[in-house]
Amino acid sequence: MSIADNIHRLNAELAGTAARLCVVTKTHPVELLQEAYDAGARCFGENRPQEMAAKQPQLPPDVEWHLIGQLQTNKVKLLAPFVHTIQSIDSLKLLRVINKYAAANNRVINGLLQFHIAQEENKSGLTLAEAEEMLTAPEFAQLQNVRLTGVMGVATFTSDEAQLRQEFRMLHGYFDHLKDRYFAHAPAFRDISMGMSGDYKLAVAEGSTLVRVGSAIFGSRG
Ligand SMILES: *Cc1c(COP(=O)(O)O)cnc(C)c1O
């Protein structure tokens, strides 16, 4: 199966669901990203700021670049001129810095609140209480150049379907709660980014709106 075949098959699978595809392109050379682009992919996910910044000028300008890995504040400046969505928002400090550099570029940058839903300790993300603390901080209301568009989570690396479903449900529950309480009048707050190559079917069944798929398209990363 070619990259194009895989993308067409995934898009066909997602048609009629709430979910769209974000192609995870980390570690892959720009030639393969161009192949994905030519097959219709427009959302690309990278997890390293420098790698994303190096690839961006080599692809067409209508690519939506999503950062899906942890972001240190000293790297925000590198991405601010072009990044579409930062899926890994985990602090008010990070939001503040994104806002500052987005403003300097006359842009609004989208962000997803990343939640810790896995049982593994090493996976990062907020608790619901931490997210609510951010959203109720007076400073949050002042940030005009960063727009929260939903939530993101990485499930446990397991084949236990009950476990995965429970984690996806938990993230969906966080989304519903935040939508209801803080974003009821913000139509842009609508994304639940969950599901990867190994678990996207379950994530879609549990209401994902954005699946992040890499190895099911490109093969395993060497
Ligand atoms: C690498 C990565 C993915 C894609 O993983 P695959 O198993 O290759 O589909 C999705 N989300 C995040 C946060 C990642 O780091």
Side-chain angles (χ1 to χ4, degrees):
M1 294 284 271
S2 69
I3 288 170
D5 289 338
N6 291 332
I7 287 173
H8 293 147
R9 177 179 48 77
L10 278 158
N11 279 332
E13 261 182 73
L14 298 177
T17 75
R20 66 190 194 281
L21 175 64
C22 197
V23 177
V24 174
T25 53
K26 63 189 186 199
T27 76
H28 299 297
V30 288
E31 292 72 27
L32 299 193
L33 276 65
Q34 185 66 49
E35 259 187 76
Y37 181 91
D38 293 339
R42 291 295 179 273
C43 179
F44 287 179
E46 289 275 342
N47 68 341
R48 291 175 193 275
Q50 292 96 328
E51 185 178 339
M52 185 193 269
K55 287 172 174 176
Q56 184 268 338
Q58 304 182 63
L59 273 293
D62 62 339
V63 169
E64 267 186 29
W65 294 94
H66 286 227
L67 189 81
I68 58 170
Q70 231 176 11
L71 179 58
Q72 290 171 330
T73 51
N74 63 354
K75 299 286 161 43
V76 172
K77 191 179 177 180
L78 197 60
L79 305 183
F82 69 90
V83 71
H84 183 278
T85 300
I86 294 171
Q87 294 206 11
S88 45
I89 305 287
D90 60 1
S91 71
L92 190 56
K93 179 181 171 210
L94 182 56
L95 274 180
R96 182 184 306 137
V97 175
I98 294 168
N99 187 71
K100 173 180 152 187
Y101 286 106
N105 284 277
N106 278 310
R107 301 187 64 227
V108 175
I109 295 174
N110 293 334
L112 302 180
L113 293 171
Q114 181 172 359
F115 283 95
H116 184 266
I117 56 170
Q119 288 200 322
E120 296 140 320
E121 279 305 316
N122 61 340
K123 298 230 166 111
S124 46
L126 298 158
T127 63
L128 185 58
E130 289 167 341
E132 295 202 81
E133 199 179 309
M134 284 171 60
L135 298 173
T136 53
E139 187 190 352
F140 174 71
Q142 308 301 314
L143 304 177
Q144 299 295 313
N145 293 78
V146 60
R147 169 173 54 220
L148 291 182
T149 54
V151 302
M152 180 270 212
V154 180
T156 304
F157 185 69
T158 177
S159 54
D160 181 341
E161 293 202 357
Q163 165 89 26
L164 289 166
R165 274 191 186 268
Q166 191 232 317
E167 293 176 7
F168 292 142
R169 265 178 217 160
M170 180 158 61
L171 186 61
H172 198 158
Y174 292 165
F175 172 84
D176 288 343
H177 174 81
L178 297 177
K179 176 82 188 164
D180 195 48
R181 189 148 316 174
Y182 306 98
F183 297 97
H185 304 291
F189 191 87
R190 58 156 198 261
D191 268 326
I192 306 175
S193 172
M194 58 185 187
M196 306 173 30
S197 292
D199 57 21
Y200 73 86
K201 286 183 184 149
L202 288 172
V204 170
E206 294 298 338
S208 172
T209 70
L210 193 58
V211 294
R212 309 178 305 270
V213 179
S215 49
I217 293 169
F218 296 106
S220 61
R221 290 175 290 274

